[in-house]
Amino acid sequence: MQLRSSEIQKPGKGDLIRAYTLQHAESGLGNDYFKRKNVIRVRLEGEQFLLQAADVPSVVEWIEAFHAGTNIALDLDHRVMPKGPMFPRRRRRRNRRPADENTPAQAGNGVVIPAVVL
């Protein structure tokens, strides 16, 4: 029996088409997708989804939420240890001034070393 496109009923807006589980899901930045900004890539159950967030902070929140959901989706007996933070903290660089010949140099531990001028 062959179905024609006019005979196939389209799902309504309230109909659930498919449900997915976060077990063994992978999520992260879609940084290789250049058509849109703030894209999150989610892989679960053999399928891949690209989601677009409004801004960078919401991207971070979504990815952290996906990771938290993935970490608790399995039973305790089958869970792996959760990964650490995905985004590294920013390190502040100290402005270093070049040592002047007339001022004593200061070591990193707060000890003042007198400058020797020959």
Side-chain angles (χ1 to χ4, degrees):
M1 178 178 172
Q2 220 175 20
L3 293 176
R4 297 182 187 202
S5 62
S6 61
E7 295 175 5
I8 299 174
Q9 294 180 359
K10 293 185 179 180
K13 290 184 179 180
D15 295 340
L16 179 65
I17 298 172
R18 177 142 186 219
Y20 294 92
T21 178
L22 288 176
Q23 294 178 352
H24 307 292
E26 296 177 3
S27 57
L29 289 173
N31 53 3
D32 59 341
Y33 187 76
F34 299 112
K35 292 182 180 178
R36 298 182 186 264
K37 294 182 180 181
N38 305 323
V39 174
I40 303 164
R41 181 183 313 270
V42 181
R43 291 185 178 121
L44 37 89
E45 297 184 16
E47 296 188 36
Q48 174 176 286
F49 300 93
L50 296 173
L51 309 172
Q52 184 180 17
D55 53 3
V56 174
S58 60
V59 168
V60 174
E61 290 176 13
W62 274 99
I63 291 175
E64 287 179 349
F66 276 122
H67 282 196
T70 302
N71 289 335
I72 64 171
L74 287 173
D75 289 336
L76 286 174
D77 298 333
H78 301 289
R79 285 188 201 170
V80 295
M81 290 299 294
K83 297 177 183 175
M86 180 177 170
F87 301 101
R89 293 184 179 183
R90 294 181 69 183
R91 296 182 185 173
R92 294 186 181 181
R93 294 184 181 181
R94 294 183 182 178
N95 293 336
R96 294 189 177 204
R97 294 181 285 158
D100 190 17
E101 291 182 11
N102 300 330
T103 60
Q106 187 172 2
N109 58 2
V111 177
V112 177
I113 303 170
V116 178
V117 179
L118 299 176

